[in-house]
Amino acid sequence: AGQLEASCSSMEPRAAAARELLLGALEDLSQEQLKRFRHKLRDERVDGRSIPWGRLERADTLDLVEQLVHFYGPERALDVAKKTLKRADVRDVAARLKERRLQSLGPSSPALLSVSEYKKKYREHVLRQHAKVKERDARSVKINKRFTKLLIAEEPEAERARRSDTHTFNRLFGRDEEGERRLTVALQGPAGIGKTMAARKILYDWAAGKLYHSQVDFAFFLSCRELLERPGTCSLADLILDQCPDREAPVQQMLAQSERLLFILDGVDEMLAPEPAEAAPCRDPHEAASGARVLGSLLSKELLPAARLLVTRRGATPGRLQARLCSPQCAEVCGFSDKDRKKYFYKFFQDEWKAEHAYRSVKENEMLFSLCFVPGVCWIVCTVLRQQLQRGQDLWRTSKTTTAVYLLFVASVLRSAPAADAAQLQRELRKLCRLACDGVLGGRARFSEEDLERLQLCGSKVQTQFLSKKEMPGVLETEVTYQFIDQSFQEFLAALSYLLEDEGAPRAPAGSIEALLQGDPELRGHLNLTTRFLFGLLNTERMCEIKRHFGCTVSERVKQRVLRWVQDQGQGRPRAAPEGTEEILAPQDTEESEEEEGEQLNYPLELLYCLHETQEDAFVHQALRGLPELVLERVHFSRMDLAVLSYCVRCCPAGQALRLVSCRLATAQEKKKKSLMKRLQGSLGGSSSRATTRKSPGSPLRPLCEAMTDRQCGLNSLTLSRCKLPDSVCRDLSEALREAPALAELGLFHNGLSEAGLRVLSEGLASPQCRVQTLRVQQPGLQEALQYMVGKLQQIPALTTLDLSGCQLSGPTVTCLCTTLKCPGCHLQTLRLTSVELSEQALQELQAVETANPRLVITHPALDAHPKPPTVPISAL
């Protein structure tokens, strides 16, 4: 910081001198010469840019000086002015300017040439520094040879995933629908999906001149975790200087044009850790502050508001961090397409025979192959395969979940050790798991040599396999730290530590399983992946593998404690509003509260992900007994979300209720997206006897509809509210109504149904196998479809309650309803018409039916006050 301040202070008098020299030179020009100078300056392009003519056309000498200095920087402006004077044929003034500059400023300093000069030097530096990336096993590979294109889906067209080529990356910072320039882009997706690699590739391609060449002069890659763990204070200017090839970078000029800066912030989820106190944001890039303050000020646009930000994060961001991001453009990283997944194998092995043999071996294992669309999982699979090919073996086991793949990698490390060293390696791995767990719970990713010495891990094989060494300049000497080869490995080993018997004293409360599971969901966001891994390890098959590979007793108590914790989640949660009232009173517009409540509303979905990771039907069945009603609100379902929900519904116990409120369903239109859906459904179907899909994907809700028809599914009640159901969903739901073994209640509220959609649903309800006893519908309009539906009532033998509250019923529809109610085959016992506007004639018709059939109860405010007609025997009716 001292060098930077000294550099800036020495530049200020030089800048003032440069302005005086420019002013003196331009004042020596005649009006005709000044006019010619302006015209020539308009065509003077530096790095493809020139001063706009609108700023030059009427500029006097003072204005010209300001434009030159602002656009090119003080000393570079002198070079441009001298060159332009020569082109304007005013060579004598150009010569005097050169002579006066030499007398006033001395020889030009190469370090202070200009931003445009330094930009070339910095780009070359970035190309050298980022030409190679470290894999999870610390091997260095060339980024251009290893990077494989990913599918990226931008909002609001999230269903249209594009491959991550130069065009896709350039689109990220395009203009929004209002024509405004996007300043914050969030690359989001689950762990291992390739967000960091994509961000590094964007930086490398920018330096190579392929991206943003006319928009960005300097791009900087900052690891949020490293920034938050950085000791002491620093300024943004210090961080920029650290990225440069030398300490003579023109930082002041860079910051003066902040709209041409791009900051790539990797892993902003680290901001989830609670801060000791909220401090005022930084607005001065030279102000020294904690890493958290600098990072928070960048995210909230308090610091350099015109700069571009590209951030990476895992999935949906909790409310507090979401509030820091200023109108982010979100782009979902969806992993590999089928084509690029195969390319990854060839790039990894670099030997055609080995790549083809490995690819075919994995493709034969349907479950494992379905998981390989995640780059992190694909790397683990390829690494294990490489080891097994070297030993002349094949992939011999089946892996159904991400947890199983990570355990496969750990097992391969254990198997690679000589038999004599196996016991020692097992002990070291157990110690490493404890280190990982302490770090996860304490928010630590870096560990000192003292931490490793305390556990006797220095120089061990697990250190070289799972930890990477990093040297950082300290105050007096170089500081050596260690971190796991990937954050997801630390989280996996932390989860694994709970399954291993500790050789000695029990865990302290701070490290107990309650510390992992309990607490505010927003503050626990950084523990989500560890929790998922823990659930995955509770699978009986996984527990047997742990016992076999680690040679120790696996505690069943952990499984029981986790099961009780899940069942306790249903206690104390608010229940649904009384039947037939909640949807009528629900507000139409809930957008304002979405950002605030998004994390809390998505919490049940995260719990379902944990249950899905177990792939153990009996455990999920027991766990859901404590959650009789699952409510998911304002969820933008991805295909994986729907696969997870479908698995849990298939395993749910009798009496289970499911409500989807204001949810968005991903659509399946393109071939790419269909294949992605098949992959995601494959990871679900592997644990089920119904492993193969009976039909080609028809609607995004088809996996859920098929799960409802499973013989072991106990789903009793399904409510869809404000979910905008297309006709394709209605067709699949209609098929499910014919076969669902336990579905007794169906609620459809303001889902934007079409006439055709409601007719298709009516056909499913009229099926002899349909078991729906209570049907609640609220949908404006659709008179013909409603009339068609009520005409089918006599064909629904199980239906006893019909709630049409909030619907618009025309006179002919009410007449048709009354006619159906008179039929002997109609078993309806309760008809609710709350808030339905009825004519006097309609009220009379309904009252006549109710009077003639004492078993039928019709609920409507006007019927109670309406005079009853004389009783007529039902036989006469």
Side-chain angles (χ1 to χ4, degrees):
Q3 291 183 20
L4 181 63
E5 289 173 5
S7 173
C8 293
S9 61
S10 65
M11 287 167 55
E12 290 175 1
R14 295 180 66 88
R19 290 173 186 272
E20 290 296 327
L21 290 170
L22 287 169
L23 185 60
L26 296 181
E27 286 179 342
D28 287 346
L29 301 179
S30 65
Q31 287 299 318
E32 182 61 29
Q33 290 171 331
L34 189 63
K35 181 179 179 181
R36 200 159 60 243
F37 177 84
R38 283 197 296 262
H39 278 276
K40 296 296 181 182
L41 184 59
R42 176 182 62 179
D43 301 327
E44 186 63 40
R45 302 183 69 83
V46 177
D47 297 323
R49 299 187 303 135
S50 60
I51 302 175
W53 176 243
R55 301 183 186 180
L56 298 175
E57 186 176 10
R58 301 182 181 279
D60 58 18
T61 53
L62 285 173
D63 293 334
L64 285 172
V65 169
E66 289 304 315
Q67 290 296 335
L68 281 163
V69 172
H70 173 76
F71 207 77
Y72 300 111
E75 297 205 29
R76 181 61 171 168
L78 290 170
D79 294 330
V80 172
K82 184 181 70 172
K83 183 179 178 181
T84 307
L85 287 168
K86 289 181 179 179
R87 293 178 61 233
D89 200 22
V90 196
R91 296 182 177 273
D92 55 334
V93 177
R96 286 198 298 273
L97 176 60
K98 180 181 178 181
E99 183 179 349
R100 291 171 182 171
R101 175 180 181 176
L102 187 62
Q103 294 172 353
S104 178
L105 300 176
S108 298
S109 170
L112 297 174
L113 282 178
S114 74
V115 170
S116 56
E117 287 287 333
Y118 198 82
K119 183 169 68 172
K120 182 179 179 182
K121 183 178 182 179
Y122 179 74
R123 284 179 183 268
E124 292 171 351
H125 171 70
V126 171
L127 288 174
R128 288 192 302 270
Q129 291 292 110
H130 296 271
K132 291 186 176 182
V133 292
K134 282 193 175 182
E135 301 246 85
R136 291 170 172 83
D137 57 0
R139 298 188 186 197
S140 292
V141 294
K142 290 185 177 179
I143 191 169
N144 276 340
K145 288 190 175 181
R146 179 51 53 87
F147 179 77
T148 307
K149 290 179 180 178
L150 301 162
L151 290 175
I152 296 181
E154 298 177 68
E155 291 187 354
E157 299 176 338
E159 72 277 3
R160 297 185 59 192
R162 295 180 173 88
R163 295 175 74 214
S164 57
D165 52 18
T166 304
H167 176 69
T168 303
F169 284 148
N170 267 319
R171 280 173 52 93
L172 294 177
F173 283 102
R175 296 189 177 274
D176 59 21
E177 296 175 353
E178 286 77 31
E180 297 294 325
R181 186 166 60 95
R182 294 170 183 160
L183 293 179
T184 302
V185 173
L187 284 180
Q188 62 188 34
I193 202 70
K195 304 181 296 296
T196 298
M197 178 66 88
R200 291 189 180 277
K201 187 65 165 65
I202 287 173
L203 177 70
Y204 187 82
D205 284 352
W206 165 81
K210 297 179 182 179
L211 294 176
Y212 321 132
H213 62 278
S214 63
Q215 305 170 38
V216 176
D217 287 341
F218 293 91
F220 308 101
F221 189 96
L222 299 175
S223 167
C224 294
R225 171 163 285 192
E226 292 181 6
L227 183 57
L228 292 171
E229 293 183 353
R230 180 172 176 147
T233 60
C234 62
S235 67
L236 182 60
D238 293 328
L239 296 175
I240 290 175
L241 207 54
D242 290 344
Q243 300 269 317
C244 295
D246 53 53
R247 308 298 292 181
E248 302 299 330
V251 177
Q252 189 71 15
Q253 293 100 312
M254 293 181 190
L255 295 171
Q257 298 187 48
S258 61
E259 71 278 3
R260 301 191 63 80
L261 301 181
L262 168 63
F263 293 93
I264 301 174
L265 307 178
D266 184 41
V268 295
D269 310 82
E270 298 301 323
M271 290 293 290
L272 289 175
E275 299 172 21
E278 286 291 339
C282 289
R283 293 184 174 86
D284 181 1
H286 298 286
E287 178 186 350
S290 67
R293 272 189 69 201
V294 174
L295 178 57
S297 301
L298 270 176
L299 292 174
S300 62
K301 291 295 182 182
E302 298 284 351
L303 183 60
L304 300 187
R308 288 176 170 86
L309 298 182
L310 176 68
V311 304
T312 69
R313 63 185 185 182
R314 289 183 180 180
T317 304
R320 188 174 57 164
L321 177 56
Q322 182 70 20
R324 290 174 182 250
L325 295 174
C326 187
S327 303
Q329 166 68 18
C330 297
E332 189 81 18
V333 182
C334 304
F336 292 144
S337 66
D338 290 338
K339 177 181 177 181
D340 291 316
R341 180 168 42 182
K342 186 173 183 178
K343 281 186 177 181
Y344 183 89
F345 275 77
Y346 279 81
K347 288 185 177 184
F348 184 94
F349 287 97
Q350 298 180 354
D351 179 282
E352 188 173 345
W353 181 86
K354 289 182 179 179
E356 186 63 28
H357 184 71
Y359 182 74
R360 288 182 180 277
S361 175
V362 174
K363 196 169 184 180
E364 289 173 2
N365 183 339
E366 185 179 348
M367 293 310 99
L368 188 59
F369 187 66
S370 70
L371 293 172
C372 283
F373 78 94
V374 179
V377 174
C378 206
W379 177 85
I380 295 174
V381 171
C382 288
T383 301
V384 175
L385 274 172
R386 181 170 57 193
Q387 295 170 357
Q388 293 180 334
L389 286 172
Q390 290 169 352
R391 294 193 293 266
Q393 301 173 345
D394 280 325
L395 191 62
W396 55 270
R397 63 183 306 284
T398 300
S399 299
K400 298 178 181 178
T401 62
T402 307
T403 303
V405 174
Y406 275 71
L407 188 59
L408 175 65
F409 179 80
V410 174
S412 71
V413 172
L414 290 169
R415 286 198 302 269
S416 65
D421 298 337
Q424 173 68 19
L425 190 58
Q426 289 171 350
R427 287 193 295 271
E428 291 174 352
L429 260 174
R430 287 199 291 272
K431 293 177 181 178
L432 187 69
C433 289
R434 172 54 65 87
L435 181 72
C437 187
D438 292 343
V440 166
L441 295 178
R444 293 177 61 204
R446 292 186 184 179
F447 304 92
S448 64
E449 287 188 310
E450 289 76 16
D451 293 326
L452 270 63
E453 288 172 357
R454 175 171 50 84
L455 296 171
Q456 299 177 327
L457 291 176
C458 283
S460 63
K461 183 172 182 179
V462 296
Q463 177 197 317
T464 58
Q465 287 281 352
F466 292 98
L467 298 175
S468 60
K469 184 177 180 180
K470 189 165 187 177
E471 296 183 356
M472 297 183 64
V475 179
L476 299 177
E477 58 183 14
T478 301
E479 180 185 0
V480 178
T481 61
Y482 296 87
Q483 61 187 52
F484 284 84
I485 54 177
D486 188 81
Q487 184 180 348
S488 60
F489 273 101
Q490 179 179 352
E491 292 163 311
F492 172 76
L493 293 174
L496 184 58
S497 71
Y498 291 103
L499 274 294
L500 303 177
E501 283 286 345
D502 202 353
E503 302 173 347
R507 289 177 182 268
S512 66
I513 198 167
E514 286 74 18
L516 175 68
L517 298 176
Q518 295 177 355
D520 186 341
E522 180 173 337
L523 300 181
R524 288 183 57 254
H526 64 294
L527 302 176
N528 283 348
L529 188 58
T530 305
T531 307
R532 285 193 202 179
F533 278 135
L534 174 63
F535 275 77
L537 291 169
L538 297 178
N539 177 280
T540 302
E541 186 181 344
R542 301 291 88 75
M543 293 175 75
C544 292
E545 290 173 4
I546 294 169
K547 184 176 181 180
R548 182 171 69 251
H549 294 311
F550 283 83
C552 61
T553 304
V554 178
S555 175
E556 280 282 347
R557 293 191 303 272
V558 174
K559 192 169 188 176
Q560 295 305 315
R561 289 162 69 187
V562 171
L563 179 60
R564 285 196 300 271
W565 174 79
V566 176
Q567 293 174 335
D568 290 344
Q569 299 308 296
Q571 299 178 6
R573 290 188 177 273
R575 301 292 295 177
E579 187 175 296
T581 63
E582 75 278 19
E583 297 300 332
I584 299 172
L585 302 176
Q588 292 288 336
D589 190 2
T590 56
E591 294 291 332
E592 294 180 5
S593 60
E594 181 174 349
E595 184 177 291
E596 233 176 78
E597 302 177 25
E599 176 68 12
Q600 185 64 32
L601 296 175
N602 283 334
Y603 175 70
L605 182 60
E606 178 58 36
L607 185 59
L608 296 184
Y609 262 95
C610 292
L611 295 175
H612 173 265
E613 193 67 20
T614 67
Q615 288 296 295
E616 193 165 291
D617 297 3
F619 180 88
V620 176
H621 185 88
Q622 281 186 281
L624 289 176
R625 287 186 181 278
L627 298 165
E629 183 180 43
L630 293 173
V631 182
L632 298 175
E633 298 186 51
R634 294 193 286 278
V635 178
H636 186 179
F637 280 109
S638 67
R639 291 167 182 79
M640 191 66 212
D641 294 337
L642 287 168
V644 167
L645 176 61
S646 302
Y647 170 75
C648 293
V649 166
R650 188 179 64 79
C651 299
C652 69
Q656 184 76 53
L658 172 64
R659 287 204 302 153
L660 305 182
V661 182
S662 299
C663 294
R664 291 173 60 189
L665 305 175
T667 58
Q669 297 174 352
E670 300 178 5
K671 290 183 179 180
K672 282 183 183 178
K673 292 178 286 183
K674 288 183 179 180
S675 63
L676 177 59
M677 187 174 186
K678 287 178 183 176
R679 291 202 304 273
L680 296 175
Q681 287 177 334
S683 64
L684 162 66
S687 65
S688 167
S689 59
R690 306 162 65 94
T692 56
T693 304
R694 294 171 299 177
K695 303 174 184 177
S696 59
S699 79
L701 215 59
R702 173 164 288 184
L704 178 62
C705 293
E706 292 184 340
M708 290 164 52
T709 64
D710 194 283
R711 285 180 297 176
Q712 73 176 27
C713 173
L715 186 68
N716 175 263
S717 174
L718 173 65
T719 301
L720 301 172
S721 174
R722 306 188 191 285
C723 292
K724 297 182 180 178
L725 304 179
D727 291 349
S728 60
V729 170
C730 294
R731 284 192 294 271
D732 286 335
L733 186 56
S734 178
E735 290 296 320
L737 293 174
R738 301 171 193 267
E739 303 179 40
L743 190 66
E745 296 183 16
L746 176 64
L748 301 170
F749 304 113
H750 303 284
N751 291 300
L753 296 172
S754 68
E755 294 272 358
L758 188 54
R759 280 174 174 266
V760 169
L761 286 172
S762 301
E763 294 291 342
L765 288 165
S767 170
Q769 293 81 26
C770 179
R771 294 173 173 82
V772 173
Q773 299 173 14
T774 300
L775 175 63
R776 301 196 300 274
V777 178
Q778 289 179 22
Q779 184 66 52
L782 307 185
Q783 294 300 315
E784 293 183 7
L786 279 172
Q787 189 169 332
Y788 181 81
M789 186 187 72
V790 298
K792 293 278 186 180
L793 290 180
Q794 59 181 327
Q795 301 177 28
I796 313 177
L799 190 67
T800 58
T801 300
L802 176 62
D803 188 345
L804 299 177
S805 302
C807 288
Q808 297 170 350
L809 301 182
S810 64
T813 303
V814 174
T815 300
C816 178
L817 176 61
C818 292
T819 302
T820 305
L821 292 174
K822 297 172 188 176
C823 295
C826 181
H827 301 283
L828 204 66
Q829 298 175 10
T830 303
L831 174 64
R832 294 193 180 95
L833 300 174
T834 310
S835 302
V836 177
E837 294 185 8
L838 297 174
S839 66
E840 187 69 21
Q841 180 182 349
L843 288 170
Q844 291 176 0
E845 290 182 54
L846 287 167
Q847 195 168 36
V849 172
E850 185 182 30
T851 304
N853 186 358
R855 293 176 303 169
L856 178 63
V857 177
I858 302 178
T859 304
H860 189 280
L863 288 177
D864 296 332
H866 204 276
K868 295 183 180 292
T871 303
V872 181
I874 193 166
S875 58
L877 290 175

